Amino acid sequence: MASRTKENLPKIRNLPLYAYGLLAKLVGAVLFAVIAVLTALVLLILKLLVPKKDFLKKLSGRAVSLSCRLFVSLLRCISFMKLKVTEEDKKKLKALRSAVIVANHPSVLDLPVLLSLVPRASLVIPPKPRFPLSLLKEAFTVADSWGTMLMGCRNTVSRGGNIIIFPERHLTPRSGTNPYRRTAARLARECACPIQPLYIGGSDKRGLGSPAAPLAYCRTGIYLYELKLLPPILLAGYEQMKDREASAAVTKKIHDEISAEAYLSDYRIV
């Protein structure tokens, strides 16, 4: 009881549904493993058959997007999660071109959800990515250094692609937030493209977020992912600032926009 109070957890509303959720979570993990292996095989085949690197990245990115779409659809079919996005926002995400997409990061499913909704999306992968990010090295930019990362992002933006970045880098804690890094602001400034903030809200993500709770599930029903597009952040007003000053100001703007929507939609302070 003390532990539940300390974490400020809601009561379990429906015990049979909670038990089913834990089973669905196990099924989801198996589905992810199967789809990840199949996607890795597809990426390997593409690497062997497609000699042109740019075309390889394009095809690999589409393969990953389709895999994420399949994975999210299956999770919805087994009633593990609900996805709520307005039709207007779906159309905007599908039509989005040459932008840096930034969002809060409450759970491990945020990335597949975004990749399933944004067909022309790219990522920045750490130099030594862990599984499953290591599967995506052929599809997206690997940040071996700032120069290689910037070059890869510029190529992506020049082709009309979008770059997804979680400014916190780590999972958003259930209460509070992590410091926002300036990477998104710097890349947007260097690539001369707008920033598209997005808020990932809905139900509590305990069991999928931070702190880790592998044997836990949403206590108020099934997981709800409610995505809301926020007004784009244009960099025209920051052109006269020095790089460091501009990056800090834009990063603060990103956090302020997401934080305001979190409180407005879910009464959360992030």
Side-chain angles (χ1 to χ4, degrees):
M1 182 68 179
S3 177
R4 185 173 70 80
T5 304
K6 185 178 180 180
E7 283 194 63
N8 194 28
L9 300 177
K11 293 181 179 179
I12 298 176
R13 294 182 181 176
N14 187 321
L15 191 57
L17 179 60
Y18 187 81
Y20 173 80
L22 292 176
L23 176 61
K25 188 174 182 179
L26 176 61
V27 173
V30 173
L31 289 172
F32 175 80
V34 172
I35 292 174
V37 170
L38 293 176
T39 303
L41 289 174
V42 170
L43 295 179
L44 178 60
I45 292 171
L46 289 174
K47 184 177 181 180
L48 295 173
L49 296 180
V50 181
K52 293 185 178 180
K53 193 171 183 179
D54 287 345
F55 192 48
L56 172 62
K57 278 190 177 292
K58 183 177 180 180
L59 290 180
S60 299
R62 288 185 177 180
V64 171
S65 179
L66 287 172
S67 298
C68 290
R69 209 174 306 168
L70 173 62
F71 178 57
V72 171
S73 296
L74 290 174
L75 291 182
R76 295 172 70 185
C77 284
I78 64 174
S79 296
F80 177 78
M81 62 172 285
K82 289 181 181 178
L83 180 59
K84 185 177 179 181
V85 191
T86 66
E87 288 300 319
E88 182 181 0
D89 281 355
K90 279 184 181 178
K91 291 178 181 178
K92 287 180 178 179
L93 285 170
K94 192 173 182 179
L96 197 61
R97 301 287 190 280
S98 302
V100 174
I101 302 172
V102 293
N104 56 315
H105 196 11
S107 82
V108 294
L109 291 182
D110 302 334
L111 185 54
V113 167
L114 288 181
L115 288 174
S116 71
L117 292 170
V118 187
R120 296 173 180 82
S122 183
L123 309 173
V124 176
I125 301 175
K128 296 180 180 179
R130 297 180 179 180
F131 182 85
L133 282 180
S134 58
L135 301 175
L136 307 179
K137 289 192 294 184
E138 296 301 329
F140 304 124
T141 301
V142 179
D144 293 322
S145 67
W146 172 256
T148 57
M149 179 174 67
L150 181 57
M151 184 181 300
C153 291
R154 279 176 173 168
N155 289 337
T156 298
V157 169
S158 67
R159 297 194 303 268
N162 307 291
I163 304 163
I164 297 175
I165 293 180
F166 297 108
E168 293 173 84
R169 189 172 180 180
H170 305 291
L171 290 174
T172 308
R174 291 185 66 253
S175 60
T177 187
N178 298 308
Y180 273 39
R181 296 172 181 263
R182 296 196 296 260
T183 307
R186 292 181 65 193
L187 283 176
R189 187 176 173 90
E190 292 286 350
C191 297
C193 62
I195 295 174
Q196 177 58 67
L198 184 148
Y199 173 62
I200 302 174
S203 65
D204 183 40
K205 303 299 188 295
R206 185 174 186 270
L208 296 176
S210 178
L215 299 179
Y217 183 72
C218 181
R219 290 169 169 257
T220 56
I222 72 173
Y223 289 113
L224 170 63
Y225 282 77
E226 186 171 9
L227 274 61
K228 293 186 179 181
L229 278 181
L230 306 178
I233 298 174
L234 305 178
L235 302 185
Y238 303 90
E239 290 177 344
Q240 303 304 319
M241 296 183 180
K242 295 180 180 179
D243 288 343
R244 189 177 182 84
E245 182 184 358
S247 297
V250 172
T251 302
K252 183 179 183 303
K253 176 71 172 177
I254 292 170
H255 180 247
D256 289 347
E257 293 288 331
I258 293 175
S259 178
E261 186 59 42
Y263 188 77
L264 182 65
S265 297
D266 300 315
Y267 301 104
R268 288 191 184 126
I269 298 175
V270 300

